[in-house]
Amino acid sequence: GAGVSQSPSNKVTEKGKDVELRCDPISGHTALYWYRQSLGQGLEFLIYFQGNSAPDKSGLPSDRFSAERTGGSVSTLTIQRTQQEDSAVYLCASSLPVGSNQPQHFGDGTRLSIL
Amino acid sequence: KNQVEQSPQSLIILEGKNCTLQCNYTVSPFSNLRWYKQDTGRGPVSLTIMTFSENTKSNGRYTATLDADTKQSSLHITASQLSDSASYICVVRIYGGSQGNLIFGKGTKLSVKP
């Protein structure tokens, strides 16, 4: 398929463990975003990559959260020493350059549950 | 402060009826306004994008309006179907700025009952 792919779709882990979430954006999309959505809440911005520019990390809630984007394509979001409040759906989106009026294309998210 | 407020928070309507969802924003400078539909357990899907000069845009039974002077937008759903049950999210893009320039509303949860 040509959509944004996220894996795993569900992840259950114990408090204190590290987790890695993966996002495969649509080919050719230079902009990539990570968001967090807690139950019944709106989307919370985490981090934004645009091409080769330095990422906008202003939404990362703590230094336990980090993300990278290799080769301008696949991105991984890493959460270290997970806490129960990290439980949420993590959504990835990609789009053509931000300067355009193109929509974001979202994956279906990774549902993370911290026991 | 750049904000996007949506109302109502939730709405229940009968199948076949029309409804209108509201979005007010205080984002400046304005670039464009987007409406997304998010089905339960899925990622949001784009419905419409409107720039400053556009007053209305349709996508099937969905019609979005924009009043850039009053900073208000609405999403009108005609002849609702059970499949319209979802959350509808209003998003405003800032011209310039950080966070990829996008400010999200918290959404309106629509339930269409038979």
Side-chain angles (χ1 to χ4, degrees):
Chain A
V4 176
S5 178
Q6 292 188 245
S7 61
S9 54
N10 287 281
K11 177 73 176 178
V12 181
T13 192
E14 293 180 344
K15 176 182 172 181
K17 300 288 188 183
D18 297 351
V19 295
E20 269 194 6
L21 313 180
R22 178 186 168 104
C23 173
D24 283 276
I26 293 173
S27 177
H29 281 191
T30 57
L32 187 147
Y33 312 73
W34 283 99
Y35 296 93
R36 179 168 69 176
Q37 187 174 34
S38 300
L39 187 63
Q41 299 298 309
L43 274 70
E44 175 189 3
F45 168 78
L46 295 177
I47 188 167
Y48 159 64
F49 297 90
Q50 173 55 56
N52 296 321
S53 302
D56 176 356
K57 305 179 181 180
S58 60
L60 295 178
S62 76
D63 59 8
R64 296 186 296 104
F65 288 72
S66 63
E68 63 178 22
R69 188 178 186 191
T70 54
S73 182
V74 172
S75 178
T76 56
L77 176 69
T78 301
I79 309 173
Q80 296 178 310
R81 305 181 301 283
T82 52
Q83 304 293 314
Q84 288 187 330
E85 61 263 27
D86 299 334
S87 295
V89 176
Y90 290 82
L91 290 162
C92 173
S94 71
S95 74
L96 290 171
V98 175
S100 70
N101 288 324
Q102 297 298 315
Q104 291 175 305
H105 296 261
F106 284 83
D108 285 335
T110 293
R111 185 175 302 275
L112 177 64
S113 299
I114 309 300
L115 303 178
Chain B
K1 182 179 179 182
N2 290 312
Q3 286 187 315
V4 175
E5 301 286 342
Q6 293 188 243
S7 62
Q9 275 191 315
S10 62
L11 182 63
I12 301 173
I13 62 173
L14 292 177
E15 186 179 13
K17 297 296 186 183
N18 303 336
C19 68
T20 300
L21 314 180
Q22 300 290 342
C23 174
N24 297 337
Y25 60 93
T26 58
V27 174
S28 182
F30 175 88
S31 179
N32 59 51
L33 184 144
R34 305 141 182 247
W35 283 94
Y36 285 84
K37 178 188 179 188
Q38 185 176 24
D39 292 318
T40 300
R42 304 297 300 273
V45 174
S46 177
L47 294 175
T48 63
I49 297 177
M50 289 184 292
T51 60
F52 183 88
S53 60
E54 296 175 295
N55 299 121
T56 185
K57 183 166 279 190
S58 292
N59 179 355
R61 293 179 297 101
Y62 301 101
T63 299
T65 64
L66 174 64
D67 185 335
D69 291 331
T70 61
K71 298 188 177 181
Q72 296 180 325
S73 176
S74 65
L75 180 69
H76 186 75
I77 304 175
T78 303
S80 61
Q81 300 176 358
L82 298 179
S83 59
D84 293 331
S85 295
S87 287
Y88 292 84
I89 303 170
C90 177
V91 186
V92 179
R93 180 175 173 242
I94 307 171
Y95 184 81
S98 62
Q99 299 192 17
N101 312 329
L102 296 164
I103 307 298
F104 284 76
K106 293 187 184 301
T108 292
K109 185 173 182 178
L110 175 65
S111 297
V112 181
K113 303 294 187 183

